[in-house]
Amino acid sequence: MPVRYLSAESIAQLTHARPGEAKLGQVVRSMDDLADYDQANAAGCRFALIGVPEQIGPMANCGKGGAHQGWQAFLSIFLNLQANTYLPGDDILLVGELDCCDLPVSEDIATLRAQCEEVDKRLVAALKPIFAAGLIPILIGGGHNNAYGLIRACSETRGEPLAVANLDPHSDFRRMEGRHSGNPFRYAHHQGYLSHYTVLGLHEQKNSRDALDALQALGFPWFSIQQLRWRRELSIEQALSQVGDYLQTSGQPVGLELDLDAISELPTSAVTFAGMSLDDALYYVHRLALLPRLQYLHLAEGAPQRHPAGLEAGSRVVGQALSELVCTFIKARYRA
Protein backbone atom coordinates (compact mmCIF):
# COMPACT_ATOMS: atom_id res chain seq x y z
CA MET A 1 0.00 0.00 0.00
CA PRO A 2 1.74 3.25 -1.16
CA VAL A 3 -0.46 5.44 1.07
CA ARG A 4 -0.63 5.57 4.86
CA TYR A 5 -4.20 6.55 5.66
CA LEU A 6 -4.79 9.17 8.33
CA SER A 7 -7.33 7.79 10.79
CA ALA A 8 -10.23 9.73 12.28
CA GLU A 9 -8.52 9.40 15.66
CA SER A 10 -5.31 10.95 14.32
CA ILE A 11 -7.28 13.78 12.73
CA ALA A 12 -9.04 14.42 16.05
CA GLN A 13 -5.68 14.63 17.82
CA LEU A 14 -4.61 17.39 15.43
CA THR A 15 -7.87 19.32 15.88
CA HIS A 16 -8.46 21.69 18.78
CA ALA A 17 -12.19 21.45 19.40
CA ARG A 18 -14.14 24.33 20.93
CA PRO A 19 -17.69 24.08 22.29
CA GLY A 20 -20.31 25.57 19.99
CA GLU A 21 -18.01 25.61 16.97
CA ALA A 22 -17.21 23.17 14.17
CA LYS A 23 -13.62 22.93 12.94
CA LEU A 24 -12.70 21.41 9.59
CA GLY A 25 -10.93 18.59 11.41
CA GLN A 26 -14.28 17.60 12.93
CA VAL A 27 -16.12 17.33 9.60
CA VAL A 28 -13.63 16.09 6.99
CA ARG A 29 -13.95 12.44 6.07
CA SER A 30 -11.30 9.77 6.65
CA MET A 31 -10.94 6.35 5.05
CA ASP A 32 -11.87 4.66 8.34
CA ASP A 33 -15.46 3.87 7.33
CA LEU A 34 -14.98 3.81 3.55
CA ALA A 35 -14.14 0.72 1.52
CA ASP A 36 -12.55 2.64 -1.36
CA TYR A 37 -12.53 5.94 -3.23
CA ASP A 38 -15.64 5.07 -5.23
CA GLN A 39 -17.53 4.78 -1.96
CA ALA A 40 -16.06 8.11 -0.87
CA ASN A 41 -17.43 9.71 -4.04
CA ALA A 42 -20.83 8.11 -3.47
CA ALA A 43 -20.78 9.49 0.09
CA GLY A 44 -20.42 13.05 -1.24
CA CYS A 45 -16.65 13.56 -1.20
CA ARG A 46 -15.33 15.77 -4.00
CA PHE A 47 -11.75 16.53 -2.92
CA ALA A 48 -8.99 14.18 -1.78
CA LEU A 49 -6.19 15.66 0.34
CA ILE A 50 -2.93 13.75 0.19
CA GLY A 51 0.53 14.65 1.48
CA VAL A 52 3.97 13.72 0.18
CA PRO A 53 6.46 14.07 3.04
CA GLU A 54 9.66 13.84 1.00
CA GLN A 55 12.63 16.12 0.30
CA ILE A 56 14.35 13.77 -2.13
CA GLY A 57 13.40 15.64 -5.30
CA PRO A 58 14.84 19.05 -4.37
CA MET A 59 18.02 17.44 -3.02
CA ALA A 60 18.34 15.35 -6.20
CA ASN A 61 18.22 18.72 -8.00
CA CYS A 62 21.25 19.86 -5.96
CA GLY A 63 18.95 21.97 -3.77
CA LYS A 64 17.94 22.33 -0.13
CA GLY A 65 15.88 19.96 2.01
CA GLY A 66 12.85 20.68 4.18
CA ALA A 67 9.97 20.06 1.77
CA HIS A 68 8.99 16.93 3.72
CA GLN A 69 7.62 19.18 6.50
CA GLY A 70 4.98 21.01 4.46
CA TRP A 71 2.24 18.41 4.92
CA GLN A 72 2.28 18.44 8.73
CA ALA A 73 2.49 22.23 8.76
CA PHE A 74 -0.62 22.32 6.58
CA LEU A 75 -2.60 19.88 8.72
CA SER A 76 -1.93 21.77 11.94
CA ILE A 77 -3.51 24.93 10.51
CA PHE A 78 -6.11 23.65 8.06
CA LEU A 79 -7.85 21.24 10.42
CA ASN A 80 -8.38 24.04 12.93
CA LEU A 81 -10.08 26.44 10.56
CA GLN A 82 -13.82 26.92 10.95
CA ALA A 83 -16.28 24.74 9.02
CA ASN A 84 -19.12 27.05 7.95
CA THR A 85 -21.33 28.08 5.04
CA TYR A 86 -18.33 29.31 3.04
CA LEU A 87 -16.52 25.99 3.32
CA PRO A 88 -18.57 23.19 4.95
CA GLY A 89 -15.70 20.68 4.74
CA ASP A 90 -17.83 17.53 4.65
CA ASP A 91 -16.97 16.95 0.99
CA ILE A 92 -13.24 16.71 1.75
CA LEU A 93 -11.61 13.30 2.08
CA LEU A 94 -8.41 13.50 4.12
CA VAL A 95 -6.64 10.48 2.65
CA GLY A 96 -3.24 10.54 4.35
CA GLU A 97 0.31 10.56 3.05
CA LEU A 98 2.49 8.75 0.56
CA ASP A 99 4.73 6.28 2.35
CA CYS A 100 8.33 7.50 1.90
CA CYS A 101 9.72 6.34 5.25
CA ASP A 102 11.96 3.68 3.74
CA LEU A 103 13.77 6.18 1.47
CA PRO A 104 16.51 7.65 3.67
CA VAL A 105 18.15 10.95 2.75
CA SER A 106 21.39 10.42 0.86
CA GLU A 107 24.22 12.73 -0.15
CA ASP A 108 24.76 10.83 -3.38
CA ILE A 109 23.03 12.45 -6.37
CA ALA A 110 22.66 9.19 -8.31
CA THR A 111 21.01 7.53 -5.29
CA LEU A 112 18.67 10.50 -4.77
CA ARG A 113 17.61 10.44 -8.42
CA ALA A 114 16.92 6.72 -8.26
CA GLN A 115 14.84 7.32 -5.11
CA CYS A 116 12.96 10.09 -6.92
CA GLU A 117 11.95 7.56 -9.59
CA GLU A 118 10.67 5.29 -6.83
CA VAL A 119 8.58 8.15 -5.41
CA ASP A 120 7.20 8.64 -8.93
CA LYS A 121 6.06 5.01 -9.11
CA ARG A 122 4.44 5.10 -5.67
CA LEU A 123 2.67 8.36 -6.38
CA VAL A 124 1.23 7.15 -9.69
CA ALA A 125 -0.06 4.00 -7.97
CA ALA A 126 -1.58 6.08 -5.15
CA LEU A 127 -3.26 8.65 -7.38
CA LYS A 128 -4.73 6.61 -10.23
CA PRO A 129 -7.61 5.15 -8.15
CA ILE A 130 -8.37 8.64 -6.81
CA PHE A 131 -8.64 10.06 -10.33
CA ALA A 132 -10.60 7.00 -11.46
CA ALA A 133 -13.18 7.56 -8.71
CA GLY A 134 -13.81 11.11 -9.93
CA LEU A 135 -12.25 12.86 -6.94
CA ILE A 136 -10.06 15.96 -7.30
CA PRO A 137 -6.67 15.38 -5.64
CA ILE A 138 -5.06 18.22 -3.71
CA LEU A 139 -1.42 17.23 -3.31
CA ILE A 140 0.65 18.96 -0.64
CA GLY A 141 4.26 18.79 0.39
CA GLY A 142 7.38 17.35 -1.09
CA GLY A 143 9.28 18.75 -4.03
CA HIS A 144 7.99 19.81 -7.41
CA ASN A 145 9.24 16.50 -8.76
CA ASN A 146 5.82 15.15 -7.75
CA ALA A 147 4.19 17.05 -10.62
CA TYR A 148 5.34 14.20 -12.87
CA GLY A 149 3.48 11.56 -10.86
CA LEU A 150 0.33 13.70 -10.79
CA ILE A 151 0.37 14.39 -14.51
CA ARG A 152 1.13 10.79 -15.42
CA ALA A 153 -1.52 9.33 -13.11
CA CYS A 154 -4.16 11.72 -14.44
CA SER A 155 -3.16 11.22 -18.08
CA GLU A 156 -3.17 7.42 -17.84
CA THR A 157 -6.55 7.48 -16.08
CA ARG A 158 -8.18 9.91 -18.52
CA GLY A 159 -6.50 8.43 -21.61
CA GLU A 160 -5.23 11.79 -22.88
CA PRO A 161 -2.40 14.23 -22.18
CA LEU A 162 -2.83 17.25 -19.90
CA ALA A 163 -2.61 21.01 -20.23
CA VAL A 164 -0.85 22.41 -17.14
CA ALA A 165 -0.27 25.87 -15.66
CA ASN A 166 2.53 26.49 -13.19
CA LEU A 167 3.14 29.52 -10.96
CA ASP A 168 6.88 29.21 -10.45
CA PRO A 169 10.10 31.20 -10.90
CA HIS A 170 11.57 28.01 -12.40
CA SER A 171 10.11 26.27 -15.44
CA ASP A 172 11.26 22.89 -14.06
CA PHE A 173 12.07 21.95 -17.65
CA ARG A 174 15.72 21.03 -17.12
CA ARG A 175 17.43 18.29 -19.10
CA MET A 176 16.38 14.65 -18.61
CA GLU A 177 19.47 13.77 -16.59
CA GLY A 178 17.71 11.60 -14.02
CA ARG A 179 14.58 12.48 -12.09
CA HIS A 180 14.51 15.45 -9.72
CA SER A 181 12.44 18.52 -8.88
CA GLY A 182 13.87 20.50 -11.78
CA ASN A 183 12.59 18.38 -14.66
CA PRO A 184 9.11 16.87 -14.01
CA PHE A 185 7.46 18.70 -16.90
CA ARG A 186 10.26 17.81 -19.36
CA TYR A 187 9.81 14.12 -18.57
CA ALA A 188 6.01 14.35 -18.61
CA HIS A 189 6.04 15.96 -22.06
CA HIS A 190 8.68 13.61 -23.46
CA GLN A 191 6.64 10.59 -22.36
CA GLY A 192 3.40 11.91 -23.86
CA TYR A 193 1.56 12.87 -20.66
CA LEU A 194 1.79 16.65 -21.13
CA SER A 195 0.69 18.37 -24.36
CA HIS A 196 0.35 22.00 -23.21
CA TYR A 197 2.36 23.83 -20.55
CA THR A 198 2.58 27.45 -19.43
CA VAL A 199 4.53 29.16 -16.64
CA LEU A 200 3.51 32.31 -14.78
CA GLY A 201 6.04 34.29 -12.74
CA LEU A 202 9.08 32.71 -14.41
CA HIS A 203 12.32 34.41 -13.40
CA GLU A 204 14.39 35.31 -16.46
CA GLN A 205 17.70 34.62 -14.71
CA LYS A 206 16.72 31.41 -12.91
CA ASN A 207 16.17 29.29 -16.02
CA SER A 208 18.84 27.81 -18.24
CA ARG A 209 19.12 28.64 -21.93
CA ASP A 210 18.46 24.97 -22.68
CA ALA A 211 15.19 25.01 -20.73
CA LEU A 212 14.00 28.27 -22.31
CA ASP A 213 14.96 27.09 -25.80
CA ALA A 214 13.06 23.83 -25.25
CA LEU A 215 9.94 25.68 -24.07
CA GLN A 216 10.12 28.04 -27.04
CA ALA A 217 10.61 25.22 -29.55
CA LEU A 218 7.51 23.48 -28.22
CA GLY A 219 5.42 26.65 -28.24
CA PHE A 220 4.94 26.56 -24.45
CA PRO A 221 4.31 30.17 -23.34
CA TRP A 222 5.63 31.82 -20.22
CA PHE A 223 5.10 35.14 -18.46
CA SER A 224 8.09 36.36 -16.47
CA ILE A 225 7.96 38.14 -13.14
CA GLN A 226 10.08 40.83 -14.79
CA GLN A 227 7.29 41.39 -17.36
CA LEU A 228 4.53 41.31 -14.78
CA ARG A 229 5.99 43.12 -11.79
CA TRP A 230 9.20 44.96 -12.55
CA ARG A 231 8.70 46.21 -16.12
CA ARG A 232 4.88 46.27 -15.82
CA GLU A 233 4.47 45.22 -19.44
CA LEU A 234 1.49 43.05 -18.58
CA SER A 235 -0.86 42.94 -15.61
CA ILE A 236 -1.52 39.77 -13.62
CA GLU A 237 -5.12 39.99 -14.81
CA GLN A 238 -4.07 40.08 -18.47
CA ALA A 239 -1.58 37.24 -18.03
CA LEU A 240 -4.14 35.04 -16.28
CA SER A 241 -6.67 35.69 -19.03
CA GLN A 242 -4.12 34.50 -21.59
CA VAL A 243 -3.20 31.48 -19.47
CA GLY A 244 -6.85 30.56 -19.03
CA ASP A 245 -7.53 30.88 -22.76
CA TYR A 246 -4.45 28.77 -23.57
CA LEU A 247 -5.54 25.99 -21.25
CA GLN A 248 -9.19 26.02 -22.24
CA THR A 249 -8.62 26.10 -26.01
CA SER A 250 -6.28 23.10 -25.70
CA GLY A 251 -9.35 20.96 -25.04
CA GLN A 252 -7.29 18.86 -22.62
CA PRO A 253 -7.78 18.08 -18.91
CA VAL A 254 -6.15 20.85 -16.86
CA GLY A 255 -3.61 20.59 -14.04
CA LEU A 256 -2.93 23.45 -11.62
CA GLU A 257 0.59 23.71 -10.22
CA LEU A 258 2.00 26.16 -7.68
CA ASP A 259 5.55 26.11 -6.37
CA LEU A 260 5.70 28.02 -3.09
CA ASP A 261 9.15 29.20 -4.26
CA ALA A 262 7.19 31.75 -6.31
CA ILE A 263 6.01 33.59 -3.19
CA SER A 264 8.27 36.22 -1.60
CA GLU A 265 9.81 35.45 1.79
CA LEU A 266 8.01 32.14 2.25
CA PRO A 267 10.16 29.34 3.77
CA THR A 268 10.69 27.02 0.81
CA SER A 269 13.31 24.80 -0.79
CA ALA A 270 14.52 27.88 -2.71
CA VAL A 271 13.55 30.98 -0.71
CA THR A 272 13.15 34.20 -2.71
CA PHE A 273 12.92 37.83 -1.63
CA ALA A 274 11.99 38.90 -5.16
CA GLY A 275 8.86 36.95 -5.95
CA MET A 276 5.10 37.19 -6.25
CA SER A 277 2.89 38.07 -3.30
CA LEU A 278 0.72 35.52 -1.52
CA ASP A 279 -2.28 37.58 -2.67
CA ASP A 280 -1.19 37.08 -6.29
CA ALA A 281 -0.80 33.35 -5.69
CA LEU A 282 -4.28 33.13 -4.17
CA TYR A 283 -5.78 34.98 -7.13
CA TYR A 284 -3.92 32.67 -9.55
CA VAL A 285 -5.46 29.64 -7.82
CA HIS A 286 -8.93 31.21 -7.74
CA ARG A 287 -8.94 32.20 -11.42
CA LEU A 288 -7.66 28.93 -12.84
CA ALA A 289 -9.62 26.70 -10.47
CA LEU A 290 -12.75 27.99 -12.23
CA LEU A 291 -11.77 26.22 -15.48
CA PRO A 292 -14.23 23.44 -16.37
CA ARG A 293 -11.80 20.54 -16.95
CA LEU A 294 -9.66 21.19 -13.86
CA GLN A 295 -8.29 17.89 -12.51
CA TYR A 296 -6.04 18.66 -9.52
CA LEU A 297 -4.15 21.18 -7.40
CA HIS A 298 -0.50 20.71 -6.52
CA LEU A 299 1.24 22.84 -3.85
CA ALA A 300 4.95 22.04 -3.70
CA GLU A 301 8.20 22.96 -1.94
CA GLY A 302 7.03 24.49 1.35
CA ALA A 303 9.95 23.97 3.75
CA PRO A 304 9.19 25.23 7.30
CA GLN A 305 12.70 24.59 8.65
CA ARG A 306 14.09 27.27 6.35
CA HIS A 307 12.37 30.10 8.23
CA PRO A 308 15.03 32.33 9.86
CA ALA A 309 13.25 32.05 13.23
CA GLY A 310 13.19 28.24 13.11
CA LEU A 311 10.87 25.32 12.49
CA GLU A 312 7.97 26.41 14.69
CA ALA A 313 7.71 29.83 13.07
CA GLY A 314 8.16 28.29 9.63
CA SER A 315 5.40 25.76 10.25
CA ARG A 316 2.97 28.55 11.12
CA VAL A 317 3.81 30.57 8.01
CA VAL A 318 3.86 27.65 5.57
CA GLY A 319 0.81 26.04 7.18
CA GLN A 320 -1.21 29.23 6.87
CA ALA A 321 -0.18 29.85 3.25
CA LEU A 322 -1.01 26.28 2.23
CA SER A 323 -4.33 26.38 4.07
CA GLU A 324 -5.40 29.62 2.41
CA LEU A 325 -4.45 28.26 -1.01
CA VAL A 326 -6.45 25.06 -0.45
CA CYS A 327 -9.50 26.95 0.84
CA THR A 328 -9.35 29.31 -2.13
CA PHE A 329 -9.17 26.38 -4.53
CA ILE A 330 -12.14 24.54 -3.00
CA LYS A 331 -14.30 27.66 -2.88
CA ALA A 332 -13.53 28.37 -6.54
CA ARG A 333 -14.53 24.83 -7.49
CA TYR A 334 -17.89 25.41 -5.78
CA ARG A 335 -18.42 28.27 -8.25
CA ALA A 336 -17.06 26.49 -11.34
Side-chain angles (χ1 to χ4, degrees):
M1 175 66 69
V3 177
R4 292 190 295 173
Y5 293 139
L6 195 63
S7 68
E9 181 182 358
S10 296
I11 294 171
Q13 290 173 355
L14 293 167
T15 305
H16 307 301
R18 183 167 178 167
E21 298 182 1
K23 303 290 184 69
L24 287 175
Q26 295 172 291
V27 298
V28 296
R29 300 294 298 270
S30 74
M31 290 297 293
D32 280 4
D33 57 347
L34 298 168
D36 53 32
Y37 298 122
D38 288 319
Q39 189 176 2
N41 188 322
C45 294
R46 293 182 58 188
F47 308 97
L49 283 169
I50 183 168
V52 187
E54 61 84 26
Q55 56 186 337
I56 294 164
M59 295 179 72
N61 192 27
C62 307
K64 305 289 186 180
H68 61 300
Q69 300 163 339
W71 172 239
Q72 285 299 321
F74 163 75
L75 290 177
S76 67
I77 300 295
F78 180 77
L79 295 177
N80 289 291
L81 295 177
Q82 299 286 340
N84 56 30
T85 52
Y86 291 105
L87 204 162
D90 54 359
D91 57 357
I92 299 170
L93 175 66
L94 209 173
V95 178
E97 62 187 47
L98 194 74
D99 190 355
C100 306
C101 291
D102 60 329
L103 299 173
V105 174
S106 171
E107 295 183 359
D108 178 67
I109 292 295
T111 299
L112 288 166
R113 292 178 179 178
Q115 289 178 334
C116 192
E117 287 189 29
E118 177 60 27
V119 173
D120 289 342
K121 293 175 186 175
R122 296 182 189 186
L123 191 56
V124 170
L127 289 171
K128 286 180 74 172
I130 294 175
F131 281 118
L135 301 176
I136 298 177
I138 299 174
L139 195 75
I140 294 172
H144 218 162
N145 43 292
N146 297 308
Y148 170 83
L150 262 168
I151 294 167
R152 177 174 175 176
C154 186
S155 177
E156 289 184 346
T157 304
R158 302 284 178 256
E160 54 184 325
L162 269 63
V164 172
N166 182 20
L167 179 64
D168 197 334
H170 314 99
S171 64
D172 292 339
F173 218 75
R174 288 181 183 271
R175 291 180 297 114
M176 293 184 291
E177 57 191 0
R179 286 285 296 114
H180 55 64
S181 65
N183 58 25
F185 304 104
R186 189 79 167 254
Y187 273 90
H189 173 263
H190 179 75
Q191 295 175 7
Y193 304 121
L194 177 68
S195 62
H196 295 72
Y197 179 52
T198 180
V199 187
L200 190 72
L202 177 144
H203 193 292
E204 294 170 4
Q205 257 43 70
K206 293 183 179 180
N207 290 269
S208 69
R209 176 173 292 180
D210 174 77
L212 294 175
D213 287 348
L215 291 171
Q216 187 169 21
L218 291 165
F220 290 167
W222 67 84
F223 303 85
S224 75
I225 189 169
Q226 283 85 349
Q227 284 178 292
L228 299 172
R229 281 297 181 225
W230 306 339
R231 297 195 296 265
R232 306 294 173 95
E233 297 169 355
L234 201 67
S235 70
I236 294 290
E237 186 73 37
Q238 290 170 321
L240 282 171
S241 292
Q242 292 185 38
V243 168
D245 289 345
Y246 172 76
L247 296 172
Q248 199 155 356
T249 57
S250 75
Q252 303 305 123
V254 172
L256 185 52
E257 298 277 342
L258 195 161
D259 190 324
L260 269 65
D261 290 353
I263 302 170
S264 282
E265 301 184 52
L266 206 60
T268 63
S269 303
V271 179
T272 183
F273 290 87
M276 307 288 274
S277 70
L278 179 57
D279 285 348
D280 287 335
L282 290 164
Y283 185 58
Y284 161 85
V285 168
H286 168 76
R287 276 290 299 271
L288 298 186
L290 295 170
L291 294 175
R293 296 201 70 193
L294 200 285
Q295 303 293 308
Y296 71 80
L297 172 67
H298 183 204
L299 303 174
E301 305 271 353
Q305 72 182 35
R306 303 209 63 218
H307 193 288
L311 178 59
E312 185 177 351
S315 293
R316 286 196 301 272
V317 173
V318 171
Q320 182 176 354
L322 288 169
S323 297
E324 296 295 351
L325 289 162
V326 169
C327 290
T328 296
F329 175 78
I330 291 174
K331 290 176 186 178
R333 291 309 299 164
Y334 289 160
R335 300 171 55 155

